[in-house]
């Protein structure tokens, strides 16, 4: 294997383009004669639209046209769709309320699109938008899911007067009840998984184009999958065949799940472009992002764990209320149901599980996938509950886990959540993490902190997630006459480093330097099919398809070499870009074969011209990365401020393709999880429905100087047994393990005061308040 091959810590080849300002994000694109769109948004969380006055805005300089929902209705424009419709407990299928690209009669969250103004410049469109007069009749609003399900709460949609959109369950309720009857101990915990905003570095943007001669749309937009956007737009919004639309994603500045989805602005720029006969561009600002990007998490859960007299888990029962926002986003109902519930048993041999999920409509932005998409919620719940059980039983946090871990010799193991784990050695990774974190030396460090007037805590969490599955992925490799390689693949990089990872695989398989390999993603006219990026699937699924395509090109090249060298295929060896017949002077390079492959006279009988291959891969099963996070914190009891002093991770990702890219994913994900645990909260006023954290002045994100160096390691000795490459997904793992480790550490620091739980985010005020209430004797234990 060469120094650019698989397994090597190669720096990202795309970074030079980004660091020198040569990236092509959506806002970097402009088309001749393009107009600009600005969206008029609701200032109310809930209100009837009595009238919209457009005359003053239309008279403004540069205004081309203004559209409302009445225009969309007249032109037969469809709805923004809900794709996943779960089955309720009573056997009925969820019915999603309609979501028009522009509000129809009623607005249901602050920031909902009411009208669009198209002008020659963005500044002119903004000026005109300020003169669009919307006559609102305010209605009562509800922002919290628990409040929305209370009797008499304001109805977000008339079609769902009780705001209950999903009533779902999984597991064996009777078996769980029986286990609880025989339990020696029952531990319960109420948890809030706080709402967060995705805050991608690049705000959403879209540029729509209509070609009248071709009767065809083109949409330029940052996404996590151009093909799914095309399907949803064609099928649900415009009612046209997919060949009538091209979707192009260039460079994308962060996705985190949010950029999987179809937003109203995608439809609106295309609609306006067709109406006006010219390209239309929209670039959202940061305030619009906070108001209208899909948010993540927002669960309230009551969890109960039954144990026997030796601390072994008997059953787990979970009741969750999930906030889906004002409309059900494409996969919004999937996240709290099938997206995460199957992972609630974690890495433990819990025999029985029952989960009951109710999803509520509220006057807030829609909620959908956010890095981890249900698995962080599951890991947070079980790892917080296991820590609570350790305190109640008097067992150490590692000991109670050790007693309940699924053992390596039990693999494959089917959990009570219905997931079949193929591999893992959880106790070994936990021991490695504890050694790296100097767990045994913690009491001395705690004592030293106490002398300094600080409360020190250490928290452990062991996560596992299901990922790397989903639909099929197809990879195509083409060698030019000069022997350069082009890869076409339907995943989409949003910062992960796909151009490097895929190129490494080709470099390893075909002995090409990285400079001679180009990777193309995101253009539905260039890449025929694609299932996109999400659920840590790009390398497990796209990489597996690419590996098969590389093997196919190798085989085709070898057959051609054997024909040209007049030698048996099985006798040829390949190294350093050259096929050689050992014991002779006969050899031929891949470059020479690439040229020869285009001449039919040089081809063996039955071989098609060109060295290329197209291969598809559909995973038979998901992959199950897992690992141990250990966080050590110090809390100032006078201010409630929490400082992270040490952070340690040991992960099992199976076979590692690029350790450097992997560490970037782990560290980035971990920081996002820490951010949710300590600082981030997309808070709404519970009565007015106004977003209180609508800018970086109010929405706190982690900063580099908030965090210590993350000590991260991988154990590569446990390959995935169900994957041809032995890899396990890695893009979301850091986020999944971080939040419970941090909160376990904070609670451990506060435990000498008798504090048993602190909800996320554990802000200084929240921690200080808990300390003060406990000192005053009012905080329950």
């Amino acid at each position: 294997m060469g120094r650019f091959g698989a397994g090597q810590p190669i720096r990202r080849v795309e970074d030079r383009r980004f660091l020198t300002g040569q990236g092509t994000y959506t806002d970097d694109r402009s088309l001749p004669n393009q107009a600009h769109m600005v969206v008029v948004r609701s200032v109310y969380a809930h209100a009837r639209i009595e009238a919209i006055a457009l005359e003053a805005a239309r008279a403004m300089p540069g205004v081309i046209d203004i559209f409302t929902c009445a225009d969309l209705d007249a032109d037969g424009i469809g709805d923004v769709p809900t794709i996943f419709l779960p089955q309720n407990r009573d056997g009925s299928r969820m019915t999603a309320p309609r979501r028009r690209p522009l509000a129809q009669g009623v607005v249901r969250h602050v920031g909902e699109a009411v009208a669009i103004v198209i002008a020659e410049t963005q500044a002119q469109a903004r000026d005109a938008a300020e003169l669009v007069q919307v006559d609102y009749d305010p209605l009562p609003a509800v922002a919290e899911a628990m409040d929305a399900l209370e009797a008499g709460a304001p109805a977000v949609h008339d079609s769902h007067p009780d705001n209950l959109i999903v009533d779902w369950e999984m597991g064996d309720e009777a078996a769980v009840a029986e286990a609880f009857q025989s339990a020696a101990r029952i531990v319960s915990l109420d948890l809030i998984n706080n709402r967060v905003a995705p805050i991608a570095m690049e705000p959403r943007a879209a540029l729509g184009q209509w070609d009248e001669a071709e009767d065809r749309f083109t949409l330029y937009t940052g996404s996590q999958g151009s093909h799914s956007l095309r399907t949803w737009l064609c099928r649900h919004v415009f009612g046209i065949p997919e060949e009538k639309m091209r979707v192009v994603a260039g460079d994308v500045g962060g996705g985190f799940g949010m950029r999987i989805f179809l937003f109203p602005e995608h439809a609106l720029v295309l609609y306006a472009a067709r109406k006006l006969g010219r390209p239309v561009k929209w670039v959202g600002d940061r305030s619009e992002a906070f108001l209208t990007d899909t948010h993540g998490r927002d669960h309230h859960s009551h969890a109960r764990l039954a144990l026997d007299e030796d601390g072994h888990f008997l059953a787990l029962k979970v009741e969750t209320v999930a906030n889906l926002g004002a409309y059900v986003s494409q996969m919004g109902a999937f996240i709290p149901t099938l997206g995460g519930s199957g992972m609630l048993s974690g890495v433990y041999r819990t025999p029985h599980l029952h989960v009951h999920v109710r999803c509520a409509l509220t006057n807030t932005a829609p909620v959908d996938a956010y890095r981890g998409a249900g698995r962080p919620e599951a890991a947070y719940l079980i790892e917080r509950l296991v820590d609570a059980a350790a305190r109640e039983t008097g067992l150490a946090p590692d000991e109670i886990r050790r007693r309940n871990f699924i053992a390596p010799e039990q693999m494959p193991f089917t959990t009570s959540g219905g997931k079949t784990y193929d591999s893992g050695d959880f106790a070994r990774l936990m021991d490695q993490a504890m050694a790296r974190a100097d767990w045994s030396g913690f009491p001395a460090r705690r004592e030293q902190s106490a002398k300094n007037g600080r409360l020190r805590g250490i928290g452990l969490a062991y996560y596992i997630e299901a990922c790397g599955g989903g639909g099929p992925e197809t990879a195509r490799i083409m060698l030019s006459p000069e022997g350069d390689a082009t890869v076409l693949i339907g995943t989409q990089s949003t910062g992960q480093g796909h151009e490097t990872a895929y190129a490494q695989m080709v470099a390893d398989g075909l002995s090409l330097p990285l400079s001679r390999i180009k990777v193309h993603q995101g253009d539905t006219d260039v890449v025929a099919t694609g299932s996109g990026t999400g659920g840590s699937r790009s390398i497990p699924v796209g990489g597996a398809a690419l590996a098969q395509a590389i093997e196919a090109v190798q085989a085709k090249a070898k057959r051609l070499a054997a024909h040209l060298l007049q030698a048996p295929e099985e006798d040829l060896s390949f190294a350093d870009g050259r096929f050689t017949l050992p014991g002779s002077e006969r050899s031929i390079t891949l470059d020479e074969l690439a040229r020869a492959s285009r001449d039919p006279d040089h081809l063996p009988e039955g071989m098609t011209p060109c060295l290329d291959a197209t291969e598809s891969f559909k995973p038979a099963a998901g992959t199950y990365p897992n690992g141990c996070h250990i966080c050590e914190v110090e809390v100032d009891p006078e201010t409630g401020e929490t400082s992270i002093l040490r952070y340690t991770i040991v992960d099992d990702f199976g076979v590692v393709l690029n350790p450097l890219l992997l560490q970037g994913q782990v560290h980035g994900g971990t920081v996002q999880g820490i951010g949710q645990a300590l600082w981030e909260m997309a808070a709404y006023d519970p009565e007015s429905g106004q977003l209180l954290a609508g800018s970086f002045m109010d929405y706190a994100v982690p900063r580099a100087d908030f965090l210590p160096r993350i000590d991260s390691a991988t154990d590569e000795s446990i390959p995935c047994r169900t994957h041809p490459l032995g890899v396990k997904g890695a893009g979301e793992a850091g986020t999944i393990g971080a939040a419970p480790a941090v909160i376990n550490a904070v609670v451990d620091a506060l435990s000498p005061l008798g504090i048993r739980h602190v909800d996320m985010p554990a802000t200084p005020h929240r921690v200080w308040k808990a300390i003060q209430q406990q000192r005053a004797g009012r905080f329950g234990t």
Side-chain angles (χ1 to χ4, degrees):
M1 182 175 64
R3 62 191 180 96
F4 296 125
Q8 299 300 307
I10 306 304
R11 291 187 177 274
R12 303 188 340 165
V13 298
E14 51 267 68
D15 282 353
R16 177 175 292 277
R17 182 170 81 249
F18 299 147
L19 293 171
T20 57
Q22 302 303 307
T24 305
Y25 299 90
T26 305
D27 193 25
D28 294 317
R29 295 182 186 270
S30 291
L31 297 174
N33 197 35
Q34 75 181 16
H36 294 264
M37 181 178 90
V38 166
V39 182
V40 178
R41 300 191 182 277
S42 173
V43 296
Y44 290 97
H46 200 193
R48 273 187 289 270
I49 300 173
E50 300 291 350
I52 304 177
L54 305 177
E55 293 77 11
R58 288 189 188 278
M60 289 291 288
V63 172
I64 302 167
D65 212 335
I66 303 175
F67 301 108
T68 67
C69 191
D71 299 295
L72 305 186
D73 292 344
D75 290 326
I77 300 302
D79 296 340
V80 177
T82 299
I83 302 302
F84 180 75
L85 305 173
Q87 183 173 299
N88 291 306
R89 292 202 296 172
D90 64 5
S92 65
R93 188 68 61 182
M94 183 193 87
T95 57
R98 294 186 67 189
R99 184 185 185 188
R100 304 293 287 136
L102 292 172
Q104 185 181 54
V106 177
V107 291
R108 294 183 171 87
H109 70 91
V110 175
E112 184 170 3
V114 175
I116 52 173
V117 177
I118 315 298
E120 296 292 344
T121 69
Q122 187 182 59
Q124 289 172 330
R126 286 189 182 279
D127 289 344
E130 292 180 359
L131 295 182
V132 172
Q133 298 296 314
V134 184
D135 182 9
Y136 293 105
D137 179 15
L139 297 170
V142 61
E144 296 290 337
M146 300 293 284
D147 295 340
L149 297 182
E150 292 288 335
V156 179
H157 292 268
D158 292 342
S159 59
H160 296 77
D162 57 2
N163 295 320
L164 181 65
I165 186 74
V166 176
D167 186 12
W168 178 92
E169 68 177 347
M170 67 167 285
D172 190 334
E173 188 173 16
V176 167
E178 184 177 345
F180 271 80
Q181 285 286 338
S182 63
R185 185 186 296 269
I186 296 172
V187 179
S188 64
L189 197 60
D190 290 306
L191 300 138
I192 295 175
N193 208 294
N194 45 313
R195 178 185 282 239
V196 291
I199 53 171
M201 185 178 295
E202 176 199 15
R204 290 188 296 112
L207 172 58
Q209 185 178 29
W210 166 252
D211 187 325
E212 187 173 7
E214 296 289 332
D215 186 30
R216 192 168 191 251
F217 288 111
T218 298
L219 173 67
Y220 300 93
T221 190
S223 81
Q224 291 176 234
S226 298
H227 297 85
S228 59
L229 280 185
R230 180 182 65 178
T231 296
W232 296 335
L233 282 163
C234 292
R235 184 177 301 170
H236 299 281
V237 179
F238 292 102
I240 59 176
E242 291 190 15
E243 59 266 23
K244 293 296 185 179
M245 182 173 295
R246 176 190 182 196
V247 177
V248 182
D251 293 319
V252 183
F256 313 125
M258 175 268 293
R259 275 199 163 92
I260 295 171
F261 306 117
L262 170 62
F263 287 87
E265 294 85 3
H266 293 134
L268 294 171
V269 293
L270 293 170
Y271 170 77
R274 186 171 66 178
K275 288 287 287 186
L276 302 176
R278 59 191 290 191
V280 174
K281 183 176 185 178
W282 169 77
V283 179
D285 60 28
R286 185 59 65 185
S287 294
E288 288 179 289
F290 275 109
L291 288 169
T292 65
D293 287 355
T294 51
H295 290 173
R297 316 292 192 240
D298 205 346
H299 292 182
H300 292 244
S301 295
H302 177 66
R304 300 174 72 220
L305 181 65
L307 302 91
D308 68 14
E309 61 277 5
D310 295 318
H312 297 123
F313 304 161
L314 302 177
L316 173 63
K317 186 172 182 62
V318 178
E319 298 271 349
T320 291
V321 173
N323 191 340
L324 295 190
Y327 300 96
V328 185
S329 182
Q330 277 93 73
M331 301 302 290
F334 175 79
I335 308 308
T337 55
L338 292 179
S341 295
M343 299 307 299
L344 280 164
S345 57
V347 290
Y348 308 109
R349 299 185 309 272
T350 311
H352 304 293
L353 169 68
H354 183 257
V355 186
H356 179 205
V357 177
R358 293 181 296 157
C359 298
L361 295 167
T362 65
N363 295 114
T364 63
V367 177
D368 212 313
Y370 174 72
R371 200 168 189 169
R375 287 101 71 201
E377 294 90 321
Y380 180 70
L381 185 147
I382 187 61
E383 289 303 294
R384 282 292 298 119
L385 188 58
V386 169
D387 245 39
R391 294 194 185 280
E392 291 204 16
T393 59
L395 295 171
D398 60 312
E399 177 57 28
I400 196 169
R401 288 172 169 84
R402 212 179 300 277
R403 291 188 186 189
N404 289 281
F405 276 151
I406 302 162
E409 58 271 17
Q410 293 178 290
M411 302 291 182
F413 185 92
T414 300
T415 71
S416 53
K419 303 295 185 182
T420 301
Y421 302 162
D422 65 281
S423 58
D425 192 339
F426 311 139
R428 187 173 84 194
L429 264 69
M430 183 176 69
D431 288 340
Q432 292 175 16
M434 292 174 70
R436 295 181 73 97
D438 188 21
W439 185 278
S440 62
F442 173 73
R445 297 193 295 276
R446 171 175 258 175
E447 184 178 346
Q448 183 60 49
S449 292
K451 292 178 181 177
N452 296 329
R454 299 290 191 269
L455 301 169
R456 197 174 188 118
I458 193 166
L460 180 154
Y462 203 108
Y463 80 91
I464 189 167
E465 65 150 328
C467 64
E473 203 58 69
T474 299
R476 178 169 174 78
I477 301 178
M478 302 175 293
L479 264 61
S480 71
E482 297 74 32
D484 296 337
T486 297
V487 175
L488 308 180
I489 195 161
T491 57
Q492 177 63 50
S493 179
T494 59
Q496 297 92 335
H498 291 179
E499 291 178 46
T500 303
Y502 291 142
Q504 273 189 267
M505 295 179 68
V506 176
D508 193 40
L510 300 181
S511 296
L512 288 173
L514 295 178
S515 60
R516 296 182 60 189
I517 304 166
K518 301 299 180 188
V519 177
H520 293 285
Q521 304 175 92
D523 187 336
T524 58
D525 272 10
V526 175
V527 182
T529 63
S531 297
T533 290
S536 304
R537 68 183 304 276
S538 294
I539 297 304
V541 186
L546 181 58
Q548 292 176 179
I550 293 168
E551 291 178 0
V553 169
Q554 289 172 336
K556 193 172 185 179
K558 189 173 187 178
R559 183 183 174 198
L560 179 57
H563 175 71
L564 296 177
L565 296 176
Q566 299 182 346
E569 281 188 52
E570 59 272 18
D571 290 348
L572 294 182
S573 62
F574 181 69
D576 298 326
R578 181 181 294 272
F579 286 96
T580 302
L581 181 63
S584 77
E585 295 182 356
R586 283 183 282 174
S587 67
I588 190 169
T589 66
L590 190 64
D591 292 358
E592 293 170 324
L593 290 168
R595 285 190 293 272
S597 70
R598 295 174 178 261
D599 185 345
D601 294 336
H602 290 155
L603 301 180
E605 185 177 352
M607 178 178 281
T608 57
C610 303
L611 291 184
D612 61 1
T614 301
E615 295 289 337
S616 296
F617 176 78
K618 186 179 190 306
T623 69
Y624 293 94
N626 60 89
C628 185
H629 286 227
I630 296 177
C631 178
E632 192 167 327
V633 302
E634 202 173 58
V635 175
D636 183 341
E638 301 308 315
T639 66
E641 184 176 5
T642 298
S643 301
I644 297 179
L645 305 179
R646 300 173 67 142
Y647 204 99
T648 306
I649 310 170
V650 177
D651 287 305
D652 165 17
F653 294 124
V655 175
V656 174
L657 176 62
N658 183 318
L660 196 60
L661 294 184
L662 176 66
Q663 290 305 306
Q665 288 295 294
V666 171
H667 290 190
T670 298
V671 171
Q672 280 187 271
I674 293 171
Q676 181 184 5
L678 293 181
W679 302 295
E680 297 185 43
M681 178 65 181
Y684 284 85
D685 182 88
E687 295 183 1
S688 69
Q690 292 291 328
L691 182 63
L692 301 177
S695 75
F696 286 126
M697 291 292 290
D698 303 297
Y699 188 93
V701 294
R703 300 169 185 261
D705 60 347
F706 289 1
L707 303 166
R709 174 184 170 274
I710 295 174
D711 176 19
S712 171
T714 56
D715 186 330
E716 295 186 52
S717 66
I718 317 169
C720 178
R721 296 174 182 172
T722 60
H723 193 278
L725 303 181
V727 302
K728 304 176 184 181
E732 296 155 300
T735 310
I736 295 168
V742 172
I743 297 299
N744 283 345
V746 172
V747 171
D748 184 58
L750 301 177
S751 61
L753 304 179
I755 295 173
R756 180 174 178 263
H757 178 64
V758 175
D759 272 318
M760 299 188 292
T763 60
H765 178 261
R766 178 167 286 173
V767 172
W768 178 86
K769 185 177 179 181
I771 293 171
Q772 298 309 308
Q773 289 177 332
Q774 186 65 19
R775 284 174 172 172
R778 295 193 301 270
F779 194 93
T781 59

